[in-house]
Amino acid sequence: SKLEMMHLHGNRLRGTVPIIASKGINESSFIADCGSPSDFDTPVDCPNCTMCCNRLQQCDTQDEIFQVETLAIKVMFGVLGFLLLVAMTSLLRKRKMTLDSSLFHFIFGLCTRKESPCDVYDAIGKDSVYCFFLSSNFTAWVLAIGVLLAQGVCFVFFIQAASLDFGAEKDWVYKFMCPRDNDNCTDTSDVNERGWIYFVILLVVHLTRDMVNGLKLVWGAPRYGLSRKSFQVLFGGIFLFSVTALALYSSVVYNIAVSRSNIELIFNTVILLFVTDLDEKLYETLHVVSPRWLDNVTKGVEATFEVIVCDVLEDNPNPDDLGTEIGRGDIDSLINACRRELEALKRERAIKMEEISRLKEGIRSIRENFISDQGKKDKEIDSLKKDILSIRDILKIERANNEG
């Protein structure tokens, strides 16, 4: 067939458009009213169309159709597999088995770069309910899992709304305008490179910390051996990294679906990133509503995870095994941490000594003032005694004169 263009949109057609062989050379070669909302309950069925339009003459290409939900499941399984592979690599390294892979050398360098072995609590977030995964409190775990599910469900809502289905009305915004009286379609999207640059900056600044910390937790989980603490750190790292990856994926697909200007792109990104702060907002709420309970939970986490060296020594009475448990990269970190602690103790001692000196000077000043006041009082008493004696002598003289 020599047919190069067929525009059937805006003609209130119904039914199914037959498959027609054409030699169309652009995305607007074959257009029909197969989009939503339609003038009828069911849009035109046109599997061979290059573009579908709705009753508002808003159109989009068939090439934009892809299963974002299915892709999201594949991405999350890929993330889970990657994290388990990282954990296995860390476990093998702890057992002195090497893997010659540049990727895992990079991960190892990222996860052990001058970090204290007591940074588990900091990595998962001291101001986030995700730290409850390190707790043994049942209620704390319920709250942490509840926030995790709430964030996941929110992101799933955005992902589902981001899919393009010409037969159903969703959030997807058609980006072409195809008037009936014009052979060409106009791209209505104003998103440019500057908008995407700001989009990337927002995601990098907001999500990088959680992704790196999640990776650190997964990498460091084998440090505790086969114990409850190891599983707590592993699950905390997997949950933190996974929900951040889901936030990244939903931000990308949703903005591709609905953002047609730079302002919309930034606005939608900020809204999606706000969902990632639910864990911190709940922590702040608990700090106001139940500060005593929160303090008990966090103190339990600190007592369990902040002093790693003692745990290692108890579990490894043989000093030769200490390096294996802690890891080569952690030895320097332990030494640096001890040095920092020693410097802090020295500064605290200097402050205390200065306070003691001030107290001694104060006591000395009070004693001197007391002695000075006592001397003045003694002089006053002597003066009074002299006055009394003088008055008594005068009275004796007067009495003698009266008797004479």
Side-chain angles (χ1 to χ4, degrees), residues 44-216:
V44 172
D45 182 18
C46 185
N48 202 34
C49 285
T50 59
M51 185 176 288
C52 287
C53 296
N54 58 23
R55 66 186 179 190
L56 304 176
Q57 299 181 17
Q58 298 171 343
C59 312
D60 219 324
T61 61
Q62 293 269 26
D63 295 336
E64 297 290 345
I65 299 178
F66 65 97
Q67 298 297 324
V68 292
E69 296 98 332
T70 304
L71 182 58
I73 295 174
K74 293 179 180 179
V75 168
M76 295 313 299
F77 272 109
V79 167
L80 181 60
F82 169 72
L83 293 176
L84 293 178
L85 189 59
V86 169
M88 289 298 298
T89 305
S90 177
L91 181 61
L92 293 176
R93 176 184 167 273
K94 297 298 179 184
R95 296 185 177 183
K96 298 183 179 180
M97 297 177 62
T98 59
L99 288 178
D100 188 13
S101 171
S102 58
L103 174 62
F104 290 106
H105 278 292
F106 168 75
I107 295 172
F108 167 71
L110 183 67
C111 297
T112 59
R113 186 175 300 166
K114 294 184 179 180
E115 290 294 335
S116 167
C118 307
D119 68 344
V120 172
Y121 190 20
D122 289 324
I124 202 167
K126 288 186 176 182
D127 56 352
S128 166
V129 294
Y130 284 159
C131 70
F132 294 168
F133 287 122
L134 306 180
S135 170
S136 57
N137 187 291
F138 176 77
T139 305
W141 267 78
V142 170
L143 291 173
I145 293 175
V147 169
L148 182 70
L149 291 176
Q151 290 176 318
V153 170
C154 285
F155 291 133
V156 169
F157 285 158
F158 282 102
I159 291 171
Q160 290 176 340
S163 60
L164 175 59
D165 184 357
F166 287 116
E169 294 187 40
K170 292 195 173 183
D171 288 356
W172 186 286
V173 177
Y174 296 174
K175 60 181 179 181
F176 291 97
M177 183 66 69
C178 300
R180 293 175 55 188
D181 56 352
N182 197 326
D183 293 340
N184 298 317
C185 296
T186 304
D187 188 348
T188 60
S189 177
D190 294 328
V191 180
N192 53 30
E193 292 81 3
R194 185 170 56 182
W196 287 113
I197 288 173
Y198 281 109
F199 169 76
V200 171
I201 291 174
L202 286 173
L203 292 184
V204 169
V205 170
H206 203 89
L207 301 180
T208 300
R209 184 192 66 176
D210 288 342
M211 297 193 81
V212 172
N213 283 337
L215 203 59
K216 288 180 179 179

